[in-house]
Amino acid sequence: MRINKKLKFVFISTPKACTHTIYNILEKHFSDGLLRAGFHNNQIVNSYQSYFRWTVVRNPFTRAVSIWWSACRLAHLDQYKFRRLSGGQYDFTRFVVWMSGVSEARRNREPLLMNQSDWLAPVEPINALHLENLQEEIKYLSFWKDNIKIQRLNTTDEKIQTQSQLEGEQITKPSIKELYKDPEAVDAVLKWAGNDFSRFGYEKSVP
């Protein structure tokens, strides 16, 4: 979370939805009055409850893929234990089926396992910008400055290259259509994402 006391806004990061990119922009262009309040944090203290709230969300289908790559397939230390628990290091369908069945208690302990609606529920109402159209939508924020170029940081492609070097061979990146060729994977995301589709205006089909 980032809070700007001068401009009176709170940015609540959504896991796997442009967090590093937005934090970098805020540090560079909105540092005056900027406060850090944890990396992923969805609890706004009373002092800032009246501030303008905003976040970035993304299509649940691509977000699920991003979670798999980052926290399972490419997490060589298995720091989240997703590899061990899901058995899906090389099997996206197996991973997402596991993720869709994780208990509410475990999801609440690990934000990466939460869908966006549940993660953002404590800070509703909130203004949600869509990652897929961020360059255009972000211009409508009243405090935004002209000519800020959004450069994506901490991307899956960057992580693939790093992990490829560690594994000693190039890791191939299947298309999203290939990853969702098994209908079970599609059904798992529909179950896991829940209200994300209606809340944020996404189609219930693989993009």
Side-chain angles (χ1 to χ4, degrees), residues 32-165:
D32 189 9
L34 192 67
L35 303 177
R36 301 176 185 86
F39 193 74
H40 288 308
N41 177 12
N42 63 354
Q43 301 296 323
I44 303 174
V45 299
N46 290 338
S47 306
Y48 311 114
Q49 284 286 338
S50 64
Y51 284 15
F52 176 82
R53 307 172 186 189
W54 62 290
T55 190
V56 177
V57 296
R58 72 188 299 180
N59 188 299
F61 287 105
T62 61
R63 182 169 179 261
V65 170
S66 180
I67 293 171
W68 174 69
W69 275 115
S70 180
C72 187
R73 173 62 184 92
L74 303 177
H76 67 282
L77 298 177
D78 199 20
Q79 57 266 40
Y80 299 101
K81 304 297 186 290
F82 291 176
R83 284 183 176 184
R84 177 174 62 83
L85 294 170
S86 71
Q89 178 180 358
Y90 302 105
D91 188 334
F92 172 72
T93 297
R94 186 171 180 178
F95 169 78
V96 78
V97 167
W98 167 79
M99 185 168 68
S100 72
V102 168
S103 69
E104 182 178 356
R106 180 167 179 82
R107 289 199 304 271
N108 289 337
R109 293 194 302 270
E110 178 47 72
L112 274 174
L113 296 175
M114 299 178 74
N115 66 38
Q116 296 166 107
S117 302
D118 290 346
W119 168 251
L120 294 169
V123 292
E124 291 281 13
I126 188 168
N127 295 272
L129 309 182
H130 300 84
L131 175 62
E132 299 78 13
N133 196 34
L134 187 58
Q135 188 73 62
E136 290 302 315
E137 292 184 11
I138 206 165
K139 296 176 183 177
Y140 293 99
L141 296 176
S142 62
F143 53 82
W144 202 250
K145 300 176 182 178
D146 293 336
N147 302 318
I148 296 177
K149 185 177 180 180
I150 298 176
Q151 295 180 314
R152 296 283 300 279
L153 302 177
N154 197 41
T155 65
T156 295
D157 287 343
E158 292 171 346
K159 294 174 184 176
I160 286 175
Q161 290 308 312
T162 298
Q163 187 64 20
S164 294
Q165 293 176 3

